[in-house]
Structure formats: C-alpha cells, structure tokens
Amino acid sequence: MKFAWATLSVAAVLAANVAQARDVGVVDAQYAEPTTLYTHGILGDAIEHGALQLTLSDGRTVSIRLPETHVFEDTEPRLVDVDLDGHAEVMVVETSMAQGARLAIYNETGVVAAAPYIGRTNRWLAPIGAADFDRDGRIEIGYIDRPHLAKTLRIWRFDDGALTLVDEIAGLTNHRIGEADIGGGLRRCDGQVEMITASADWSRVIATGFVDGRYRTRDMGPHRGRASLNAALAC
C-alpha cells in the first residue's frame, strides 16, 4: 500500500479553509488505511496506519495521509486542546521508519507541532497525557521515551506553536512489548493532575506531579498487574 507525499488532499485543504473561516474544531479522530510497511510490531502486531481521519464540528471530514516512509504507530489518536482556544487538536505517535517515533500534534491543516524523532528505527514512545500540570496557563504533555529501553518520562510544554522540553525523569515505564494498550494515564484529584506510570522494574506504581516548583514522583504502592495502575487513576 502506498500513500501520497502530499500531507493533505485538495478536499482536505478546502475543508481546512472552511474550518478556519467558521472557527470550527476537531471533534473526532480515527486512524485509517492500515499498513504492514513497518514491521516493528511493538503493539503486538505489525499493522500500523498510514492516515488520520478527522471529523470537524461542522460535520466535514479531513483525511491526512503520511508518506510511505512514515506510519502512525499508536493505540488511538487523542483529542487535546493544546493551545487552549476551545478547539481540540489531535495528539499522535508518528513514526519514521528510519528515525523512530515522535510525538506530534495535528489539526485539520496538518502538523501543528512535534517533538524530535527518537533518532533510529524500531524506537518508540508511549504517551501518558496532556494537562496544565504546573497551572501556568499552558499545556504540558508527558510520554515515556522508549518504555522498554530508556524508560524515561519526558515532559514537553506547548507554547507559541512549538513543543519545548521542560523536564525528564528516568526510571519509569508504562508499556511492555507486545501489549496492545498503554498502562496508566492521568489522575485528576483535588485540583492536581498527576501522571500515573510504573517503576522501571514494574514493582511499584508511581505518580508524577508538579509540587513546590518542580516535577516530583511519589510511590503509590506495589504494582500487581494492570488493575494497580487503573486503581491509581481514581481519587
């Protein structure tokens, strides 16, 4: 299966112009056009996706196709209002077959911002979530860089149309090779948002939040399977 090099079709560009004129946003996002061009198989099979299908709030749809050297290597696209304008963007894991994965933000016009690719093939990242963790009026995004190798939490801030790395914490993970989903996520309790992951050896459940001017981790107890991470998400 081959994909056009153009990021957007003519119809998509027209839809994007309408979206801008009417100030509409993305209300649904789905991966499309399954492909086996990339055989990493980190999520349990070798089927990734070559396109992103967006539904806009005015009912229009936009199809964004990647070049055949790239795939969406992900569990699902995530709607996130990264610029806090009241309209959602889409957070994805986009993978270059030569340079590995990167976290990218899309809207109906294409890529809004992206972190760098990891740098080599068969290297992946697992998103945790996005929120204003430090309550400064800007959105931060957390993901685990190479959850089976580097096991490092990286936190990026979206500001002025770009992603900037603001912190990193080693010794954390949220995915095992072959699992079809990503463990943990965001815990929202008493006005604070924390990222829930496991320790690097999968022995403990760890919460990471912004406390007293910096990102800090705290131990939430033993990890005894996926239920432990799910329980930690509740208040």
Side-chain angles (χ1 to χ4, degrees), residues 145-202:
D145 180 359
R146 291 159 288 174
H148 325 110
L149 295 171
K151 300 182 180 181
T152 299
L153 168 62
R154 301 199 191 280
I155 303 167
W156 298 76
R157 177 179 294 122
F158 181 85
D159 191 26
D160 196 24
L163 291 176
T164 301
L165 184 65
V166 295
D167 209 344
E168 52 189 37
I169 300 173
L172 301 172
T173 190
N174 59 351
H175 184 265
R176 287 183 166 119
I177 293 174
E179 291 181 337
D181 59 355
I182 296 168
L186 297 186
R187 169 187 168 95
R188 302 175 185 269
C189 300
D190 300 323
Q192 183 179 13
V193 186
E194 297 176 294
M195 291 169 274
I196 302 299
T197 62
S199 59
D201 63 359
W202 289 96

Side-chain angles (χ1 to χ4, degrees), residues 5 9 16 20 33 47 57 66 74 80 91 100 110-111 114 118 125 140 174 188 204-205 211 213 229:
W5 276 94
S9 66
Q20 277 191 333
E33 300 188 12
I47 300 173
S57 56
L66 295 175
D74 200 1
V80 179
M91 184 170 72
V111 176
I118 291 172
L125 63 89
E140 288 80 39
N174 59 351
R188 302 175 185 269
R204 312 297 296 178
V205 175
V211 180
L229 294 175

